[in-house]
Amino acid sequence: MTTTLTSRVFNFSAGPAMLPLPVLQQVQDEMLSLPGVGASVLEISHRSKDFIAILEDAKQRIKQLTEMPDTHEVLFLQGGSALQNVMMPMNFLTEKSQTADMILTGSWSKKTAAEVFRFGKLNVAWDGKETGYRRVPQQDELKLTPDAAYCHLTSNETIHGVQFRELPDTGDVPLVVDKSSDMFSAPIDVSKYGLIYACAQKNAGIAGVNVLIIQKDLLERCDDRLPSYLDYSKHSENDSMFNTPPTFAIYVTGLVCKWLQEEMGGLEKIRGFNEEKARLVYDAIDNSQGFYKGHAAVADRSTMNVVFMTADDETDARFLKQAAEAGMTTLKGHRSLGGIRASIYNAMPIQGVESLVQFMSDFAEKNG
Ligand SMILES: *Cc1c(COP(=O)(O)O)cnc(C)c1O
């Protein structure tokens, strides 16, 4: 046990990412036998009362954390956010003539937009391409379609490190948001969203489950010609048990939510904690006399993924190598952008960020 703990690094991976230590410890404690069950969560039927209790608990905790109104419901689906990119247009563009408005702020929203043409019309409401995906749009820059079936955005661009602080106003058009990399990182007003989806492996658990919060009204729009498995309403009718759900992943999401509630004190507290961590890293960039350059525009930089670089690839590589030697791993920027990326999700402790900024300052001094 001690060896395991002392050998743990500060893991800045963008995802799958670091999990809270108490969550890992509870998984370990309960691995051979869930309390009162005598078998592992990996071994029990998804229809058993024990697993149904786990699923219900995870769902309740998501409702409590987000103060979710009754107009919405929680679904657990598989296929990652990649499948959501397809299910959204499939379910909501019931005619080829219908339009989806897409706000393009980086790689992930572009990927989402790329699936739309199969099912209907794509309207690019804004594209940050010209500015190298460094910022999010202002309201008056958006070219919205008044009768769009939905408007999609990615609240946090994991690769470019750009995050929406405020949601655009889309009027009556439902807002559909990929929150894969900033789910549960701050309070959220669920009533403003038609659909929220997040693959769990960044901030909400492990790979294998996608957490959705969907407005119940939207379920009525789902096209009944769809294959059952790809129809949101079928998953809703079956309470996320249309088929065998990813039981272990749902269990871990429940534990992450419990940790957020009981140890971190909820989403308002976690926001403060995340802002403090992000401030430390951005200060280290801003106070480096240009040794480090941040990618995102100051007003829109992400609290979750801090993307920056030094003057050249060689220095970046040296930074990454020496950081890893000092116990800070997976700081390499995404292959499409290069440089350095520090993903500092909910589970990254302040100590991890403090050692990173100390390292950044020492490295700049030696190499500047
Ligand atoms: C990681 C990520 C995804 C990818 O999700 P998959 O589960 O791999 O399909 C999608 N969107 C965003 C914003 C992400 O950060």
PDB file of all heavy atoms in Angstrom, residues 294-324:
ATOM      1  N   GLY A 294       1.313  31.264 -23.450  1.00  0.00           N
ATOM      2  CA  GLY A 294       0.040  30.550 -23.383  1.00  0.00           C
ATOM      3  C   GLY A 294      -0.623  30.547 -24.744  1.00  0.00           C
ATOM      4  O   GLY A 294      -0.426  31.477 -25.530  1.00  0.00           O
ATOM      5  N   HIS A 295      -1.409  29.524 -25.047  1.00  0.00           N
ATOM      6  CA  HIS A 295      -2.088  29.476 -26.343  1.00  0.00           C
ATOM      7  C   HIS A 295      -3.361  30.329 -26.353  1.00  0.00           C
ATOM      8  O   HIS A 295      -3.588  31.118 -27.261  1.00  0.00           O
ATOM      9  CB  HIS A 295      -2.425  28.027 -26.727  1.00  0.00           C
ATOM     10  CG  HIS A 295      -3.203  27.924 -27.998  1.00  0.00           C
ATOM     11  ND1 HIS A 295      -2.619  28.063 -29.242  1.00  0.00           N
ATOM     12  CD2 HIS A 295      -4.526  27.753 -28.219  1.00  0.00           C
ATOM     13  CE1 HIS A 295      -3.545  27.970 -30.172  1.00  0.00           C
ATOM     14  NE2 HIS A 295      -4.714  27.780 -29.583  1.00  0.00           N
ATOM     15  N   ALA A 296      -4.199  30.159 -25.365  1.00  0.00           N
ATOM     16  CA  ALA A 296      -5.525  30.793 -25.377  1.00  0.00           C
ATOM     17  C   ALA A 296      -5.464  32.271 -24.994  1.00  0.00           C
ATOM     18  O   ALA A 296      -4.570  32.697 -24.255  1.00  0.00           O
ATOM     19  CB  ALA A 296      -6.442  30.052 -24.413  1.00  0.00           C
ATOM     20  N   ALA A 297      -6.435  33.037 -25.501  1.00  0.00           N
ATOM     21  CA  ALA A 297      -6.599  34.431 -25.092  1.00  0.00           C
ATOM     22  C   ALA A 297      -6.948  34.458 -23.602  1.00  0.00           C
ATOM     23  O   ALA A 297      -7.692  33.601 -23.125  1.00  0.00           O
ATOM     24  CB  ALA A 297      -7.709  35.084 -25.910  1.00  0.00           C
ATOM     25  N   VAL A 298      -6.409  35.451 -22.907  1.00  0.00           N
ATOM     26  CA  VAL A 298      -6.519  35.487 -21.447  1.00  0.00           C
ATOM     27  C   VAL A 298      -7.962  35.317 -20.952  1.00  0.00           C
ATOM     28  O   VAL A 298      -8.228  34.531 -20.041  1.00  0.00           O
ATOM     29  CB  VAL A 298      -5.891  36.793 -20.893  1.00  0.00           C
ATOM     30  CG1 VAL A 298      -6.191  36.946 -19.396  1.00  0.00           C
ATOM     31  CG2 VAL A 298      -4.387  36.787 -21.141  1.00  0.00           C
ATOM     32  N   ALA A 299      -8.899  36.007 -21.565  1.00  0.00           N
ATOM     33  CA  ALA A 299     -10.278  35.980 -21.061  1.00  0.00           C
ATOM     34  C   ALA A 299     -10.930  34.603 -21.197  1.00  0.00           C
ATOM     35  O   ALA A 299     -11.861  34.281 -20.464  1.00  0.00           O
ATOM     36  CB  ALA A 299     -11.116  37.012 -21.807  1.00  0.00           C
ATOM     37  N   ASP A 300     -10.453  33.793 -22.117  1.00  0.00           N
ATOM     38  CA  ASP A 300     -11.122  32.524 -22.410  1.00  0.00           C
ATOM     39  C   ASP A 300     -10.275  31.306 -22.068  1.00  0.00           C
ATOM     40  O   ASP A 300     -10.554  30.191 -22.510  1.00  0.00           O
ATOM     41  CB  ASP A 300     -11.509  32.465 -23.898  1.00  0.00           C
ATOM     42  CG  ASP A 300     -12.451  33.598 -24.282  1.00  0.00           C
ATOM     43  OD1 ASP A 300     -13.214  34.044 -23.406  1.00  0.00           O
ATOM     44  OD2 ASP A 300     -12.411  34.041 -25.440  1.00  0.00           O
ATOM     45  N   ARG A 301      -9.230  31.497 -21.300  1.00  0.00           N
ATOM     46  CA  ARG A 301      -8.394  30.333 -21.054  1.00  0.00           C
ATOM     47  C   ARG A 301      -9.023  29.377 -20.047  1.00  0.00           C
ATOM     48  O   ARG A 301      -9.724  29.768 -19.127  1.00  0.00           O
ATOM     49  CB  ARG A 301      -6.963  30.725 -20.698  1.00  0.00           C
ATOM     50  CG  ARG A 301      -6.796  31.747 -19.643  1.00  0.00           C
ATOM     51  CD  ARG A 301      -5.367  32.319 -19.779  1.00  0.00           C
ATOM     52  NE  ARG A 301      -5.031  33.127 -18.623  1.00  0.00           N
ATOM     53  CZ  ARG A 301      -3.881  33.771 -18.500  1.00  0.00           C
ATOM     54  NH1 ARG A 301      -2.977  33.702 -19.448  1.00  0.00           N
ATOM     55  NH2 ARG A 301      -3.637  34.484 -17.426  1.00  0.00           N
ATOM     56  N   SER A 302      -8.742  28.138 -20.300  1.00  0.00           N
ATOM     57  CA  SER A 302      -9.420  27.056 -19.593  1.00  0.00           C
ATOM     58  C   SER A 302      -8.886  26.855 -18.176  1.00  0.00           C
ATOM     59  O   SER A 302      -7.683  26.946 -17.940  1.00  0.00           O
ATOM     60  CB  SER A 302      -9.219  25.764 -20.398  1.00  0.00           C
ATOM     61  OG  SER A 302      -9.577  24.647 -19.636  1.00  0.00           O
ATOM     62  N   THR A 303      -9.787  26.552 -17.255  1.00  0.00           N
ATOM     63  CA  THR A 303      -9.359  26.185 -15.901  1.00  0.00           C
ATOM     64  C   THR A 303      -8.930  24.715 -15.848  1.00  0.00           C
ATOM     65  O   THR A 303      -8.392  24.273 -14.849  1.00  0.00           O
ATOM     66  CB  THR A 303     -10.500  26.369 -14.882  1.00  0.00           C
ATOM     67  OG1 THR A 303     -11.637  25.635 -15.347  1.00  0.00           O
ATOM     68  CG2 THR A 303     -10.867  27.820 -14.687  1.00  0.00           C
ATOM     69  N   MET A 304      -9.195  23.979 -16.920  1.00  0.00           N
ATOM     70  CA  MET A 304      -8.956  22.531 -16.907  1.00  0.00           C
ATOM     71  C   MET A 304      -7.690  22.117 -17.653  1.00  0.00           C
ATOM     72  O   MET A 304      -6.974  21.228 -17.220  1.00  0.00           O
ATOM     73  CB  MET A 304     -10.158  21.805 -17.541  1.00  0.00           C
ATOM     74  CG  MET A 304     -11.479  22.029 -16.834  1.00  0.00           C
ATOM     75  SD  MET A 304     -11.640  20.984 -15.375  1.00  0.00           S
ATOM     76  CE  MET A 304     -11.264  22.129 -14.056  1.00  0.00           C
ATOM     77  N   ASN A 305      -7.460  22.731 -18.824  1.00  0.00           N
ATOM     78  CA  ASN A 305      -6.318  22.348 -19.662  1.00  0.00           C
ATOM     79  C   ASN A 305      -5.511  23.606 -19.975  1.00  0.00           C
ATOM     80  O   ASN A 305      -5.984  24.479 -20.704  1.00  0.00           O
ATOM     81  CB  ASN A 305      -6.786  21.705 -20.972  1.00  0.00           C
ATOM     82  CG  ASN A 305      -7.811  20.605 -20.741  1.00  0.00           C
ATOM     83  OD1 ASN A 305      -9.013  20.861 -20.833  1.00  0.00           O
ATOM     84  ND2 ASN A 305      -7.359  19.417 -20.433  1.00  0.00           N
ATOM     85  N   VAL A 306      -4.335  23.691 -19.394  1.00  0.00           N
ATOM     86  CA  VAL A 306      -3.488  24.870 -19.611  1.00  0.00           C
ATOM     87  C   VAL A 306      -2.495  24.535 -20.719  1.00  0.00           C
ATOM     88  O   VAL A 306      -1.652  23.654 -20.560  1.00  0.00           O
ATOM     89  CB  VAL A 306      -2.740  25.251 -18.314  1.00  0.00           C
ATOM     90  CG1 VAL A 306      -1.896  26.502 -18.546  1.00  0.00           C
ATOM     91  CG2 VAL A 306      -3.717  25.449 -17.159  1.00  0.00           C
ATOM     92  N   VAL A 307      -2.653  25.225 -21.859  1.00  0.00           N
ATOM     93  CA  VAL A 307      -1.835  24.916 -23.034  1.00  0.00           C
ATOM     94  C   VAL A 307      -0.809  26.030 -23.219  1.00  0.00           C
ATOM     95  O   VAL A 307      -1.169  27.202 -23.303  1.00  0.00           O
ATOM     96  CB  VAL A 307      -2.731  24.780 -24.290  1.00  0.00           C
ATOM     97  CG1 VAL A 307      -1.895  24.522 -25.536  1.00  0.00           C
ATOM     98  CG2 VAL A 307      -3.749  23.660 -24.087  1.00  0.00           C
ATOM     99  N   PHE A 308       0.447  25.665 -23.248  1.00  0.00           N
ATOM    100  CA  PHE A 308       1.506  26.672 -23.389  1.00  0.00           C
ATOM    101  C   PHE A 308       2.730  26.067 -24.049  1.00  0.00           C
ATOM    102  O   PHE A 308       2.787  24.849 -24.285  1.00  0.00           O
ATOM    103  CB  PHE A 308       1.855  27.295 -22.033  1.00  0.00           C
ATOM    104  CG  PHE A 308       2.376  26.337 -20.983  1.00  0.00           C
ATOM    105  CD1 PHE A 308       3.733  26.280 -20.686  1.00  0.00           C
ATOM    106  CD2 PHE A 308       1.523  25.518 -20.272  1.00  0.00           C
ATOM    107  CE1 PHE A 308       4.227  25.422 -19.702  1.00  0.00           C
ATOM    108  CE2 PHE A 308       1.993  24.642 -19.288  1.00  0.00           C
ATOM    109  CZ  PHE A 308       3.354  24.599 -19.006  1.00  0.00           C
ATOM    110  N   MET A 309       3.694  26.923 -24.388  1.00  0.00           N
ATOM    111  CA  MET A 309       4.916  26.424 -25.021  1.00  0.00           C
ATOM    112  C   MET A 309       6.090  27.321 -24.693  1.00  0.00           C
ATOM    113  O   MET A 309       5.911  28.456 -24.255  1.00  0.00           O
ATOM    114  CB  MET A 309       4.740  26.279 -26.534  1.00  0.00           C
ATOM    115  CG  MET A 309       4.173  27.488 -27.244  1.00  0.00           C
ATOM    116  SD  MET A 309       2.946  27.002 -28.473  1.00  0.00           S
ATOM    117  CE  MET A 309       1.591  26.407 -27.472  1.00  0.00           C
ATOM    118  N   THR A 310       7.274  26.805 -24.926  1.00  0.00           N
ATOM    119  CA  THR A 310       8.472  27.635 -24.805  1.00  0.00           C
ATOM    120  C   THR A 310       8.816  28.125 -26.213  1.00  0.00           C
ATOM    121  O   THR A 310       7.999  27.980 -27.132  1.00  0.00           O
ATOM    122  CB  THR A 310       9.649  26.818 -24.228  1.00  0.00           C
ATOM    123  OG1 THR A 310      10.010  25.807 -25.181  1.00  0.00           O
ATOM    124  CG2 THR A 310       9.279  26.161 -22.898  1.00  0.00           C
ATOM    125  N   ALA A 311      10.038  28.646 -26.398  1.00  0.00           N
ATOM    126  CA  ALA A 311      10.390  29.251 -27.696  1.00  0.00           C
ATOM    127  C   ALA A 311      10.525  28.231 -28.827  1.00  0.00           C
ATOM    128  O   ALA A 311      10.327  28.560 -29.985  1.00  0.00           O
ATOM    129  CB  ALA A 311      11.673  30.059 -27.559  1.00  0.00           C
ATOM    130  N   ASP A 312      10.887  26.985 -28.501  1.00  0.00           N
ATOM    131  CA  ASP A 312      11.099  26.012 -29.581  1.00  0.00           C
ATOM    132  C   ASP A 312      10.830  24.581 -29.109  1.00  0.00           C
ATOM    133  O   ASP A 312      10.775  24.306 -27.912  1.00  0.00           O
ATOM    134  CB  ASP A 312      12.537  26.128 -30.122  1.00  0.00           C
ATOM    135  CG  ASP A 312      13.555  26.003 -29.015  1.00  0.00           C
ATOM    136  OD1 ASP A 312      13.775  24.889 -28.524  1.00  0.00           O
ATOM    137  OD2 ASP A 312      14.107  27.051 -28.589  1.00  0.00           O
ATOM    138  N   ASP A 313      10.703  23.696 -30.078  1.00  0.00           N
ATOM    139  CA  ASP A 313      10.354  22.299 -29.796  1.00  0.00           C
ATOM    140  C   ASP A 313      11.395  21.609 -28.911  1.00  0.00           C
ATOM    141  O   ASP A 313      11.061  20.767 -28.087  1.00  0.00           O
ATOM    142  CB  ASP A 313      10.250  21.503 -31.107  1.00  0.00           C
ATOM    143  CG  ASP A 313       9.095  21.973 -31.967  1.00  0.00           C
ATOM    144  OD1 ASP A 313       8.271  22.771 -31.451  1.00  0.00           O
ATOM    145  OD2 ASP A 313       9.018  21.569 -33.144  1.00  0.00           O
ATOM    146  N   GLU A 314      12.625  21.989 -29.133  1.00  0.00           N
ATOM    147  CA  GLU A 314      13.711  21.355 -28.393  1.00  0.00           C
ATOM    148  C   GLU A 314      13.598  21.658 -26.888  1.00  0.00           C
ATOM    149  O   GLU A 314      13.778  20.776 -26.056  1.00  0.00           O
ATOM    150  CB  GLU A 314      15.022  21.920 -28.931  1.00  0.00           C
ATOM    151  CG  GLU A 314      16.167  20.942 -28.990  1.00  0.00           C
ATOM    152  CD  GLU A 314      17.372  21.646 -29.583  1.00  0.00           C
ATOM    153  OE1 GLU A 314      17.310  21.974 -30.796  1.00  0.00           O
ATOM    154  OE2 GLU A 314      18.311  21.908 -28.827  1.00  0.00           O
ATOM    155  N   THR A 315      13.327  22.919 -26.589  1.00  0.00           N
ATOM    156  CA  THR A 315      13.177  23.316 -25.189  1.00  0.00           C
ATOM    157  C   THR A 315      11.927  22.668 -24.587  1.00  0.00           C
ATOM    158  O   THR A 315      11.943  22.212 -23.441  1.00  0.00           O
ATOM    159  CB  THR A 315      13.127  24.860 -25.057  1.00  0.00           C
ATOM    160  OG1 THR A 315      14.169  25.416 -25.854  1.00  0.00           O
ATOM    161  CG2 THR A 315      13.302  25.304 -23.614  1.00  0.00           C
ATOM    162  N   ASP A 316      10.842  22.602 -25.385  1.00  0.00           N
ATOM    163  CA  ASP A 316       9.627  21.905 -24.924  1.00  0.00           C
ATOM    164  C   ASP A 316       9.970  20.468 -24.536  1.00  0.00           C
ATOM    165  O   ASP A 316       9.561  19.976 -23.485  1.00  0.00           O
ATOM    166  CB  ASP A 316       8.555  21.857 -26.029  1.00  0.00           C
ATOM    167  CG  ASP A 316       7.880  23.204 -26.257  1.00  0.00           C
ATOM    168  OD1 ASP A 316       8.024  24.102 -25.406  1.00  0.00           O
ATOM    169  OD2 ASP A 316       7.207  23.343 -27.303  1.00  0.00           O
ATOM    170  N   ALA A 317      10.739  19.810 -25.408  1.00  0.00           N
ATOM    171  CA  ALA A 317      11.074  18.398 -25.175  1.00  0.00           C
ATOM    172  C   ALA A 317      11.901  18.245 -23.895  1.00  0.00           C
ATOM    173  O   ALA A 317      11.684  17.320 -23.110  1.00  0.00           O
ATOM    174  CB  ALA A 317      11.825  17.835 -26.377  1.00  0.00           C
ATOM    175  N   ARG A 318      12.822  19.180 -23.694  1.00  0.00           N
ATOM    176  CA  ARG A 318      13.645  19.131 -22.481  1.00  0.00           C
ATOM    177  C   ARG A 318      12.768  19.362 -21.238  1.00  0.00           C
ATOM    178  O   ARG A 318      12.923  18.699 -20.214  1.00  0.00           O
ATOM    179  CB  ARG A 318      14.748  20.193 -22.576  1.00  0.00           C
ATOM    180  CG  ARG A 318      15.989  19.801 -21.825  1.00  0.00           C
ATOM    181  CD  ARG A 318      17.274  20.558 -22.230  1.00  0.00           C
ATOM    182  NE  ARG A 318      17.183  21.380 -23.413  1.00  0.00           N
ATOM    183  CZ  ARG A 318      17.205  22.730 -23.407  1.00  0.00           C
ATOM    184  NH1 ARG A 318      17.315  23.393 -22.279  1.00  0.00           N
ATOM    185  NH2 ARG A 318      17.121  23.387 -24.542  1.00  0.00           N
ATOM    186  N   PHE A 319      11.846  20.293 -21.359  1.00  0.00           N
ATOM    187  CA  PHE A 319      10.906  20.570 -20.264  1.00  0.00           C
ATOM    188  C   PHE A 319      10.159  19.287 -19.891  1.00  0.00           C
ATOM    189  O   PHE A 319      10.080  18.902 -18.718  1.00  0.00           O
ATOM    190  CB  PHE A 319       9.921  21.657 -20.715  1.00  0.00           C
ATOM    191  CG  PHE A 319       8.870  22.016 -19.688  1.00  0.00           C
ATOM    192  CD1 PHE A 319       8.999  23.167 -18.909  1.00  0.00           C
ATOM    193  CD2 PHE A 319       7.732  21.223 -19.509  1.00  0.00           C
ATOM    194  CE1 PHE A 319       8.024  23.508 -17.971  1.00  0.00           C
ATOM    195  CE2 PHE A 319       6.766  21.553 -18.564  1.00  0.00           C
ATOM    196  CZ  PHE A 319       6.914  22.696 -17.801  1.00  0.00           C
ATOM    197  N   LEU A 320       9.636  18.616 -20.912  1.00  0.00           N
ATOM    198  CA  LEU A 320       8.817  17.418 -20.663  1.00  0.00           C
ATOM    199  C   LEU A 320       9.641  16.313 -20.013  1.00  0.00           C
ATOM    200  O   LEU A 320       9.182  15.632 -19.093  1.00  0.00           O
ATOM    201  CB  LEU A 320       8.197  16.928 -21.976  1.00  0.00           C
ATOM    202  CG  LEU A 320       7.214  17.915 -22.619  1.00  0.00           C
ATOM    203  CD1 LEU A 320       6.845  17.462 -24.028  1.00  0.00           C
ATOM    204  CD2 LEU A 320       5.954  18.071 -21.765  1.00  0.00           C
ATOM    205  N   LYS A 321      10.855  16.144 -20.490  1.00  0.00           N
ATOM    206  CA  LYS A 321      11.722  15.093 -19.977  1.00  0.00           C
ATOM    207  C   LYS A 321      12.075  15.360 -18.514  1.00  0.00           C
ATOM    208  O   LYS A 321      11.929  14.483 -17.653  1.00  0.00           O
ATOM    209  CB  LYS A 321      12.984  15.018 -20.848  1.00  0.00           C
ATOM    210  CG  LYS A 321      13.928  13.904 -20.460  1.00  0.00           C
ATOM    211  CD  LYS A 321      14.986  13.686 -21.546  1.00  0.00           C
ATOM    212  CE  LYS A 321      15.989  12.620 -21.151  1.00  0.00           C
ATOM    213  NZ  LYS A 321      16.911  13.052 -20.082  1.00  0.00           N
ATOM    214  N   GLN A 322      12.472  16.585 -18.234  1.00  0.00           N
ATOM    215  CA  GLN A 322      12.883  16.901 -16.852  1.00  0.00           C
ATOM    216  C   GLN A 322      11.693  16.913 -15.898  1.00  0.00           C
ATOM    217  O   GLN A 322      11.825  16.531 -14.729  1.00  0.00           O
ATOM    218  CB  GLN A 322      13.629  18.237 -16.816  1.00  0.00           C
ATOM    219  CG  GLN A 322      14.973  18.144 -17.523  1.00  0.00           C
ATOM    220  CD  GLN A 322      15.720  19.479 -17.561  1.00  0.00           C
ATOM    221  OE1 GLN A 322      15.406  20.420 -16.840  1.00  0.00           O
ATOM    222  NE2 GLN A 322      16.721  19.562 -18.428  1.00  0.00           N
ATOM    223  N   ALA A 323      10.531  17.350 -16.387  1.00  0.00           N
ATOM    224  CA  ALA A 323       9.327  17.329 -15.543  1.00  0.00           C
ATOM    225  C   ALA A 323       8.991  15.892 -15.172  1.00  0.00           C
ATOM    226  O   ALA A 323       8.695  15.586 -14.010  1.00  0.00           O
ATOM    227  CB  ALA A 323       8.153  17.987 -16.275  1.00  0.00           C
ATOM    228  N   ALA A 324       9.081  14.989 -16.145  1.00  0.00           N
ATOM    229  CA  ALA A 324       8.774  13.577 -15.878  1.00  0.00           C
ATOM    230  C   ALA A 324       9.746  13.007 -14.844  1.00  0.00           C
ATOM    231  O   ALA A 324       9.345  12.275 -13.945  1.00  0.00           O
ATOM    232  CB  ALA A 324       8.814  12.776 -17.176  1.00  0.00           C
TER     233      ALA A 324
END
